[in-house]
Amino acid sequence: MDIRKQAFNFIKNKATLIFCLVMGVLFYSSTPKIHNSGLMGAYIPPNFPDATTGMSILRLWTYVDKFEFVNFGSLYFSNHLPYGLLSGWLIYLICNRAAQNQTLERLLLVLPGLLIIIYYAAMNGPLYDMTFAVSLLICTMYLIDCDKKISSVQILKLGFWVTLMYMSRPFGMYFALVIYSCFFCKIGRRIIPACIITILFMVPLHLYQLHKFDTFTLSTYGGTNLAEGLASSGENPNQFLDCKVILGRQNYDSKEMVNCSKVNKNKALELYKNKPEVLLNIFSPKRLFTVFIFPRLFWTGTYIGFEKSMSKELRVVTVVCYLSLFFTYLIIFLNFKRNKFYFIPLLFFAMGIFFSAMGSDGSEAIRIFMPFIAIAYLVVTNK
């Protein structure tokens, strides 16, 4: 009887996975996308950047984009399809978690919000938004579930997911450090093979950045992100350089972008040093609450306007989404003391707020903050 039950559960899980993947492709691959190389090197087809543009995020995927476009004239299989598959898998991971923990009533309460958030994040969202979301969610589940009996295969898989997460966002490095530190506290030196995988893959990219651009960071735009965050919190934007002018040039130069961004970074750090109150403006409760914790259902890539021009349909969708987020935060608050593992995912959620607030003006909050909202939904469905 146990064998029959196991077989039934296996088939049920696989059927659910297939259903989520199909629905993910239908709903999320059909939305318009900014191709990965477009944000990596500010080039649009057919002028793709190569893998030495300075933006290390999924750098090798540039070749996949270029191959498909040159040979087939599209970017569906390198962009739209994998985004849809990963979106469906992300939803499956959370739904399956709810089924395992018998928290389906919570799932029904919050799932509409997650579906809506992924949809709006998918509108012109690049592939690495979803690779970061899936890899961070899987790493978090590994952290919650693992014990000293974790197998060597699982440790190697963890190395893969952490490395993918590291490559998907410039601040992925900090999440990798926290994840490996937490694993070291739980299983000790057994985590070293996973660390080696990440080091071997990422160090060459860091060294290349240092050699070509005189910066160890994996982004050529970080300083300008800091400037955008400061400008949106009340600082005069005219004191920073407009690096987007460089992005719009046909003969875009990554080195010039790095130098421009460095100027903005130095100016931002000078402000933090000489005017500490700017941090209070960046992390003001009103700004965090209205921009990131309850992000608007738009970003600049969606071409959807502000609240004043909302259609009735968008108003209804927004209300459903915000109610879902409200219940998510409420459930987490009411159950916080009952679950010692809440610390791990909520730490990642807090880090998401920190990096999103520091390096974003809020116009892209829905896609940048989407992975951390998925973490919040994981907490709700985790018993």
Side-chain angles (χ1 to χ4, degrees):
M1 189 67 181
D2 290 337
I3 295 177
R4 289 183 179 179
K5 187 175 181 180
Q6 290 176 5
F8 174 77
N9 289 335
F10 176 82
I11 295 172
K12 183 175 68 174
N13 288 338
K14 294 301 179 184
T16 304
L17 174 59
I18 293 172
F19 174 80
C20 289
L21 292 178
V22 170
M23 296 305 292
V25 170
L26 291 176
F27 285 110
Y28 303 120
S29 69
S30 60
T31 58
K33 298 284 185 297
I34 291 178
H35 52 87
N36 313 297
S37 54
L39 289 184
M40 287 168 58
Y43 289 107
I44 60 175
N47 301 310
F48 287 87
D50 58 26
T52 63
T53 56
M55 300 288 264
S56 65
I57 303 169
L58 293 180
R59 180 180 289 174
L60 297 178
W61 202 256
T62 300
Y63 294 122
V64 180
D65 276 353
K66 187 174 183 178
F67 175 83
E68 183 185 0
F69 188 84
V70 169
N71 291 278
F72 303 100
S74 72
L75 292 168
Y76 181 79
F77 290 100
S78 59
N79 244 316
H80 293 62
L81 180 61
Y83 198 109
L85 290 172
L86 287 169
S87 300
W89 194 20
L90 178 75
I91 294 166
Y92 166 77
L93 289 172
I94 293 176
C95 292
N96 190 51
R97 195 74 173 185
Q100 290 178 351
N101 289 283
Q102 299 179 344
T103 54
L104 291 175
E105 68 283 354
R106 295 183 186 177
L107 178 68
L108 294 175
L109 193 62
V110 302
L111 186 60
L114 181 61
L115 301 178
I116 292 169
I117 287 167
I118 294 176
Y119 178 80
Y120 280 93
M123 293 285 288
N124 273 312
L127 178 61
Y128 54 76
D129 287 349
M130 193 51 65
T131 57
F132 185 88
V134 171
S135 54
L136 178 62
L137 192 74
I138 291 176
C139 289
T140 305
M141 293 170 68
Y142 268 58
L143 263 174
I144 294 174
D145 296 340
C146 91
D147 53 29
K148 292 185 178 180
K149 295 180 180 179
I150 186 172
S151 68
S152 299
V153 174
Q154 287 177 313
I155 291 175
L156 294 178
K157 287 181 179 179
L158 176 68
F160 167 80
W161 288 114
V162 172
T163 303
L164 180 61
M165 179 191 66
Y166 197 139
M167 288 195 69
S168 298
R169 282 270 187 259
F171 50 72
M173 173 179 65
Y174 303 104
F175 285 86
L177 290 172
V178 172
I179 287 171
Y180 281 145
S181 297
C182 292
F183 266 101
F184 184 80
C185 293
K186 294 188 77 172
I187 63 174
R189 290 179 294 180
R190 293 194 62 203
I191 196 59
I192 290 178
C195 298
I196 291 175
I197 291 174
T198 301
I199 291 171
L200 289 177
F201 201 92
M202 299 308 299
V203 164
L205 294 176
H206 281 287
L207 293 178
Y208 182 84
Q209 294 284 100
L210 192 62
H211 171 72
K212 185 173 181 179
F213 302 109
D214 194 29
T215 177
F216 193 70
T217 61
L218 296 179
S219 172
T220 56
Y221 201 71
T224 299
N225 286 137
L226 293 177
E228 290 174 354
L230 283 166
S232 68
S233 62
E235 292 301 308
N236 183 6
N238 294 326
Q239 63 187 309
F240 303 106
L241 297 180
D242 184 8
C243 298
K244 289 185 177 179
V245 174
I246 301 173
L247 284 173
R249 292 178 187 167
Q250 191 172 3
N251 57 341
Y252 169 76
D253 183 3
S254 293
K255 180 64 175 178
E256 188 179 0
M257 172 57 71
V258 172
N259 293 334
C260 182
S261 192
K262 279 184 177 180
V263 172
N264 285 336
K265 179 181 179 181
N266 292 334
K267 182 63 179 177
L269 293 177
E270 182 182 342
L271 275 173
Y272 293 138
K273 180 180 178 180
N274 300 325
K275 194 179 176 182
E277 61 268 23
V278 299
L279 281 174
L280 297 179
N281 295 328
I282 287 178
F283 295 106
S284 67
K286 181 180 179 181
R287 183 171 186 263
L288 295 183
F289 187 83
T290 59
V291 178
F292 300 105
I293 296 179
F294 287 91
R296 299 187 185 107
L297 293 181
F298 75 92
W299 68 281
T300 50
T302 65
Y303 306 108
I304 296 174
F306 291 83
E307 284 83 346
K308 291 181 180 179
S309 60
M310 273 189 179
S311 64
K312 291 182 180 180
E313 293 79 6
L314 184 56
R315 291 177 189 274
V316 172
V317 169
T318 301
V319 170
V320 172
C321 178
Y322 284 178
L323 282 176
S324 171
L325 286 171
F326 171 77
F327 285 120
T328 298
Y329 300 142
L330 180 64
I331 292 171
I332 291 174
F333 176 77
L334 294 177
N335 291 274
F336 182 79
K337 293 183 179 180
R338 302 178 186 177
N339 195 330
K340 63 181 180 179
F341 293 119
Y342 269 30
F343 167 77
I344 295 170
L346 290 185
L347 173 62
F348 293 156
F349 187 80
M351 290 173 67
I353 293 178
F354 175 81
F355 287 111
S356 299
M358 287 288 289
S360 171
D361 61 4
S363 64
E364 299 181 42
I366 189 63
R367 75 174 188 86
I368 294 174
F369 201 50
M370 179 265 296
F372 310 107
I373 294 178
I375 290 293
Y377 285 121
L378 173 65
V379 175
V380 169
T381 55
N382 195 68
K383 200 164 188 177

